[in-house]
Amino acid sequence: MQFMLIMRDDDAAAIERRDGDVATMMAAMGAYNDRLEASGALVTAVGLDAPSNGAVVHFGGTPPLVTDGPYGEIKELFNGFWIVEAPDLAAATALAADAPLAAGTHLEVRRVHGDADLPD
């Protein structure tokens, strides 16, 4: 099974990430990704650009309305994600718990639907 580990910060963690030692953070995340890859669990890992550099497409009108990002407060935004292979939710949660993240950062763990989950 594949699981998505969705990373998001509260306000304090977002400020710490922005103002912290980037080299140390990148080294720790690189080591974490290397461990995931060596274990065969890593499918992909993606970091996202700042939400202020994005856009939001709002559906409900024709055509949909496009506005500048972000769509919500920092605590509602996610910063990046991993897709990992794990036999079950408990194993995926254990992989997430090994991430070198600061207090105030959260990883939501959700199973990714596969072809078998879709109706014929």
Side-chain angles (χ1 to χ4, degrees), residues 6-21 24-26 28-29 32 79 82 96-108:
I6 305 165
M7 181 175 54
R8 56 189 171 83
D9 294 331
D10 65 16
D11 292 342
I15 291 167
E16 182 176 330
R17 181 183 313 282
R18 182 191 69 208
D19 297 342
D21 179 3
T24 300
M25 179 188 65
M26 294 302 290
M29 293 308 292
Y32 174 65
N79 303 318
W82 293 262
D98 189 41
L101 299 171
T105 301
H106 310 277
L107 283 180
E108 181 179 347

Side-chain angles (χ1 to χ4, degrees), residues 1-3 39-43 83-88 91-92 95:
M1 284 184 258
Q2 291 186 345
F3 292 85
S39 73
L42 184 64
V43 175
I83 302 289
V84 297
E85 288 280 349
D88 55 35
L95 292 171

Side-chain angles (χ1 to χ4, degrees), residues 3-4 7 9 20 22 24 26-27 30 39 45 53 63 65-67 76 80 93 106 117:
F3 292 85
M4 181 182 232
M7 181 175 54
D9 294 331
V22 174
T24 300
M26 294 302 290
S39 73
N53 294 330
L65 174 65
V66 178
T67 62
E76 298 172 334
T93 302
H106 310 277
D117 297 309

